[in-house]
């Protein structure tokens, strides 16, 4: 499965409706988007703690009402203003419904707002939540709704997390999969094959060297076969900044499939 990081931000502003539509056009399996809250409690798509880098405004999202946010414009990857506006989560859900799986990053910070939006649209099967909590912490916070949602624990191998945390989840909960930030090299790499045998997906990020054990997207521009590392190590979800190149490569190896 191919996950477009912040949607297809190389062709449109990150976390924009246009970037999401571009990702869908390319055939990605999932788009990852980031959430923030406005002054009047409306969820918008925004990665940073401020709007400075990605919009024509300044300050925190919580400094502004949604009407004020909508008066600003998104910037492209070069920092130039576009004519596009910051989307709300509701606008995005209406576009993605039935078309692509979405990973709502930072969503648990605003779960009381996110939950009714998904329930109203009957979209729990189309959304993935992730978090770094231990199983006990996750169960304490979300035990009442944990079986209604898709959830993926993040196992930070480079920070010393490993089999104990994995086993706690496998013993007590049907996870969608595990995300593994690997660090800059293979020092902390574990064997994913046994985990995958339990019908559990393995997610690794290819965006940067510090996440991918050095097997990052930019290196594949000169040598696409470097993406073989992921299938060779039993990874079946890749989050990428280059969805076009990754999908093209996977198709040549008969490894690409579309699954919501």
């Amino acid at each position: 499965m191919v996950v477009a990081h912040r949607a297809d931000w190389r062709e449109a502003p990150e976390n924009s409706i246009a970037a999401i539509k571009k990702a869908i056009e390319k055939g990605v399996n999932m788009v990852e988007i980031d959430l923030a809250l406005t002054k009047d409690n409306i969820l918008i798509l925004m990665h940073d703690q401020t709007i400075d880098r990605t919009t024509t405004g300044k300050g925190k999202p919580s400094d502004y009402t949604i009407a004020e946010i909508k008066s600003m414009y998104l910037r492209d990857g070069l920092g130039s203003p576009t004519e596009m506006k910051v989307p709300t989560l509701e606008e995005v859900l209406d576009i993605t419904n039935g078309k692509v799986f979405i990973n709502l990053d930072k969503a648990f910070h605003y779960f009381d707002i996110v939950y009714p939006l998904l329930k109203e649209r009957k979209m729990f099967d189309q959304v993935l939540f992730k978090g770094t909590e231990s199983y006990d912490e996750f169960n304490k916070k979300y035990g009442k709704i944990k079986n209604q949602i898709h959830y993926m624990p993040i196992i930070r191998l480079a920070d010393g997390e490993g089999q104990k945390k994995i086993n706690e989840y496998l013993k007590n909960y049907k996870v969608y999969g595990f995300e593994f930030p690997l660090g800059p090299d293979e020092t902390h790499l574990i064997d994913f094959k046994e985990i995958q045998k339990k019908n559990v997906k393995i997610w690794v990020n290819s965006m940067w060297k510090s996440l991918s054990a050095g097997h990052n997207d930019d290196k594949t521009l000169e040598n696409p076969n470097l993406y073989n590392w992921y299938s060779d190590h039993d990874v079946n979800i890749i989050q990428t900044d280059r969805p076009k190149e990754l999908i093209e490569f996977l198709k040549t190896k008969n490894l690409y499939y579309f699954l919501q």
Side-chain angles (χ1 to χ4, degrees), residues 31-256:
V31 291
E32 182 263 359
I33 55 178
D34 305 281
L35 299 182
L37 197 63
T38 65
K39 187 176 183 179
D40 49 350
N41 293 317
I42 302 297
L43 283 172
I44 59 172
L45 270 59
M46 186 65 55
H47 176 270
D48 298 356
Q49 293 185 355
T50 73
I51 62 175
D52 300 29
R53 178 178 64 87
T54 56
T55 80
T56 54
K58 299 287 184 182
K60 299 178 181 179
S62 57
D63 293 336
Y64 299 97
T65 65
I66 187 60
E68 291 168 333
I69 290 285
K70 287 291 189 180
S71 70
M72 305 168 189
Y73 294 93
L74 286 167
R75 296 183 182 275
D76 63 21
L78 295 175
S80 301
T82 69
E83 296 184 7
M84 303 177 197
K85 302 299 183 79
V86 176
T88 66
L89 175 59
E90 288 194 75
E91 290 170 339
V92 168
L93 292 177
D94 290 340
I95 289 169
T96 61
N97 196 349
K99 295 181 179 178
V100 71
F101 205 33
I102 59 175
N103 169 215
L104 295 178
D105 202 10
K106 308 182 184 76
F108 274 141
H109 297 311
Y110 315 109
F111 195 76
D112 290 344
I113 302 175
V114 173
Y115 182 85
L117 296 179
L118 300 182
K119 185 176 181 180
E120 177 187 359
R121 292 165 173 78
K122 300 179 180 179
M123 288 185 68
F124 290 120
D125 279 341
Q126 300 180 51
V127 174
L128 176 65
F129 296 91
K130 292 188 297 184
T132 58
E133 295 91 348
S134 68
Y135 174 75
D136 288 340
E137 292 169 332
F138 167 73
N139 191 50
K140 184 177 181 180
K141 291 180 182 178
Y142 308 109
K144 292 182 179 179
I145 52 86
K146 66 181 181 181
N147 292 321
Q148 298 179 46
I149 64 173
H150 294 303
Y151 181 72
M152 178 178 286
I154 299 172
I155 311 296
R156 296 165 292 192
L157 296 177
D159 293 336
E161 295 181 347
Q163 202 62 48
K164 180 181 178 182
K165 186 174 180 181
I166 294 168
N167 289 342
E168 286 175 352
Y169 272 100
L170 291 177
K171 180 181 178 180
N172 294 290
Y173 181 63
K174 184 176 175 55
V175 298
Y176 186 82
F178 291 104
E179 177 182 339
F180 292 97
L182 301 181
D185 54 44
E186 297 186 20
T187 302
H188 304 283
L189 190 65
I190 63 174
D191 185 356
F192 297 136
K193 183 175 292 185
E194 293 303 314
I195 301 172
Q196 198 187 94
K197 285 180 180 178
K198 301 180 187 297
N199 198 29
V200 172
K201 298 179 177 66
I202 305 298
W203 171 312
V204 172
N205 301 302
S206 63
M207 295 94 69
W208 310 304
K209 178 181 178 180
S210 60
L211 296 173
S212 64
H215 307 280
N216 49 304
D217 286 323
D218 285 350
K219 286 185 177 180
T220 66
L221 292 178
E222 294 186 3
N223 182 11
N225 285 321
L226 287 176
Y227 278 131
N228 278 322
W229 183 89
Y230 292 88
S231 58
D232 290 345
H233 288 79
D234 301 291
V235 175
N236 51 12
I237 303 181
I238 305 173
Q239 180 173 217
T240 179
D241 277 336
R242 296 193 178 276
K244 177 183 176 183
E245 288 81 1
L246 178 54
I247 289 173
E248 287 177 351
F249 172 79
L250 293 175
K251 285 181 176 179
T252 67
K253 301 293 183 177
N254 293 318
L255 292 172
Y256 171 74

